[in-house]
Amino acid sequence: MARMDMAHISTPDAPAWRRQFTEDFSRSLSEGKNVFGLAWWCVAYGIGIIGMLACYGLLQGRILSVPYGNDYFTVSIFLVLCNRLAAMAFALLMMCVRRESLANAAPLWKYLLISLSNVAASTCQYDALR
């Protein structure tokens, strides 16, 4: 099998995740691991993510379309808040389990832009399900 040269991908100024990926991939190749096996896991994880998103979408539709007594769930922003709180709790748990730093890696304004666009998109998504 031809050895792939990964030197041009992983430069000292590359983001940490890219350097880590390059190191892991290069180590896998040098240890003789099957690249097709690695690709299979990538496909399996992709199918798992899409499957979970499909379940998530079905649950969203059910929450908003099933009557609770005589009323329907109308406050979609509350669902977005619950979703974000659960995501934050899971992220904090994973950071503690993996012993990662709690310090910001990017300026706060970049987090703010992504967060606001995500909340707006989620709110529109919930409202579209009504």
Side-chain angles (χ1 to χ4, degrees):
M1 176 187 309
R3 175 139 163 72
M4 298 176 103
D5 182 23
M6 303 292 279
H8 69 283
I9 296 175
S10 181
T11 60
D13 61 335
W17 65 267
R18 185 183 301 162
R19 287 192 310 269
Q20 183 65 43
F21 171 79
T22 304
E23 290 169 12
D24 291 346
F25 188 75
S26 297
R27 187 177 330 107
S28 296
L29 288 176
S30 66
E31 292 173 358
K33 288 187 180 176
N34 184 357
V35 177
F36 294 110
L38 295 174
W40 162 248
W41 279 110
C42 183
V43 169
Y45 287 137
I47 290 171
I49 289 170
I50 291 171
M52 288 296 108
L53 287 172
C55 291
Y56 179 63
L58 292 172
L59 287 172
Q60 285 178 343
R62 182 154 174 83
I63 288 171
L64 293 173
S65 64
V66 172
Y68 299 96
N70 293 332
D71 295 327
Y72 287 92
F73 199 94
T74 58
V75 187
S76 59
I77 196 72
F78 178 72
L79 289 177
V80 174
L81 174 66
C82 291
N83 183 315
R84 296 301 173 260
L85 291 175
M88 286 174 39
F90 180 75
L92 186 61
L93 173 73
M94 292 308 298
M95 289 173 70
C96 292
V97 166
R98 297 184 63 172
R99 294 187 173 99
E100 294 179 354
S101 171
L102 297 176
N104 294 331
L108 282 178
W109 67 269
K110 289 185 178 182
Y111 289 111
L112 179 68
L113 292 175
I114 292 169
S115 179
L116 289 177
S117 67
N118 195 305
V119 168
S122 296
T123 303
C124 292
Q125 177 185 359
Y126 283 117
D127 285 340
L129 289 172
R130 282 195 227 167

